[in-house]
Amino acid sequence: MDETSLRNIITEHNIVMTSVLRRQSSTSNENDVRMRNNRSSGHGAVNDSPPSSPAQAGDRGTRACCFCWCCCCTCSCLAVKSGNGTQGGPNSRIPLPERDDPPTHEEIESWGESFDKLMQSKGGRRTFREFLKSEYSEENILFWLACEDLKKEENPEIVEEKARLIYEDYISILSPKEVSLDSRVREVINRNMVDPTPHTFDEAQLQIYTLMHRDSYPRFLNSQMYKKLLEESQLS
């Protein structure tokens, strides 16, 4: 293993461990508050009863595994709370597939006019994702979608958790879904991960968007998938 690869692995480990320590500190503070409340309500008796609500039980379960950073999709610590307080399972790593009415012929035609129009269309993104899957590069649009989802989040704790998952899934050199980024952008991300925000991956997202535009989009327009879809929409 060369020196650069070793340095990247050490950096990634430090980023994840920083996130773990923050989560542990937050959990410890919450436990202290809960114990003080239990003592106050029980006149000094220790409350051994289970959490009074499913949400509390879910909190305890999702924070049990503090050292999991191996991208294990079955680990409970990867559950991410959504804005309404519910928890997602392993599929919370990426936005759910978009469902919509079939695109019209005019809409499908517009996809050939510009890459921006393709990516602004729900049906366009869904179709382009299927094309990228056939080329074994689906991780590019999944990363882009995950970044779009992160930018909508306002809760700092959820932002940090989602940023960590995006890093593990698409930035880490240990991930099978690693996207192709240059060293400068990787260094920017590593600095941003010290204090993640909804815009932690903006430069990386732009670089992947440009890559899809220049590399995959022309092949998509010349593909049988797009031509067939265009023909079928014209007949319907």
Side-chain angles (χ1 to χ4, degrees):
M1 180 180 297
D2 59 36
E3 183 179 351
T4 301
S5 298
L6 181 59
R7 189 185 306 115
N8 288 336
I9 291 176
I10 294 173
T11 301
E12 290 178 10
H13 180 268
N14 290 338
I15 288 172
V16 174
M17 289 308 298
T18 299
S19 177
V20 166
L21 292 174
R22 286 179 179 174
R23 210 160 54 249
Q24 283 181 315
S25 176
S26 175
T27 303
S28 177
N29 291 337
E30 291 177 5
N31 287 339
D32 289 343
V33 172
R34 187 179 296 116
M35 289 179 67
R36 285 196 294 269
N37 290 338
N38 287 340
R39 287 171 181 167
S40 175
S41 61
H43 304 288
V46 176
N47 186 358
D48 292 327
S49 60
S52 59
S53 69
Q56 290 175 332
D59 276 348
R60 181 177 297 178
T62 58
R63 292 175 179 171
C65 178
C66 295
F67 291 96
C68 177
W69 61 286
C70 60
C71 304
C72 172
C73 62
T74 60
C75 179
S76 61
C77 73
L78 297 183
V80 179
K81 287 186 177 181
S82 65
N84 59 8
T86 59
Q87 293 178 345
N91 290 333
S92 297
R93 288 175 172 272
I94 59 175
L96 294 176
E98 295 164 318
R99 301 293 180 183
D100 204 355
D101 295 331
T104 64
H105 175 70
E106 289 73 19
E107 184 178 0
I108 296 174
E109 265 191 330
S110 72
W111 300 348
E113 296 174 4
S114 74
F115 185 61
D116 289 339
K117 289 184 178 180
L118 173 70
M119 293 295 284
Q120 289 166 4
S121 162
K122 290 183 178 180
R125 291 193 297 269
R126 185 169 59 245
T127 304
F128 188 56
R129 175 177 172 178
E130 288 300 314
F131 172 75
L132 292 179
K133 185 184 296 184
S134 71
E135 289 202 331
Y136 304 100
S137 58
E138 184 186 15
E139 66 275 3
N140 288 332
I141 195 168
L142 292 181
F143 170 69
W144 187 87
L145 289 170
C147 292
E148 288 294 290
D149 182 61
L150 177 65
K151 286 191 285 189
K152 299 174 185 176
E153 190 55 66
E154 297 179 355
N155 186 311
E157 291 184 0
I158 301 177
V159 166
E160 182 177 343
E161 182 70 3
K162 286 188 175 183
R164 181 177 67 86
L165 296 177
I166 291 174
Y167 189 95
E168 291 176 356
D169 275 353
Y170 305 109
I171 308 301
S172 172
I173 61 175
L174 302 176
S175 172
K177 296 185 292 183
E178 177 194 5
V179 295
S180 178
L181 300 170
D182 62 40
S183 58
R184 183 192 65 82
V185 172
R186 286 185 176 277
E187 290 177 2
V188 170
I189 293 174
N190 289 340
R191 289 196 299 269
N192 291 344
M193 285 297 292
V194 174
D195 186 19
T197 72
H199 300 283
T200 291
F201 302 100
D202 279 5
E203 286 199 53
Q205 185 186 22
L206 177 60
Q207 191 168 104
I208 294 302
Y209 188 90
T210 303
L211 175 66
M212 292 190 293
H213 184 189
R214 294 178 178 176
D215 186 54
S216 303
Y217 178 60
R219 291 199 300 274
F220 169 73
L221 295 182
N222 291 321
S223 69
Q224 289 301 313
M225 177 187 292
Y226 177 66
K227 292 178 180 178
K228 183 177 180 180
L229 187 61
L230 193 60
E231 292 174 2
E232 289 177 350
S233 65
Q234 193 170 15
L235 296 176
S236 60

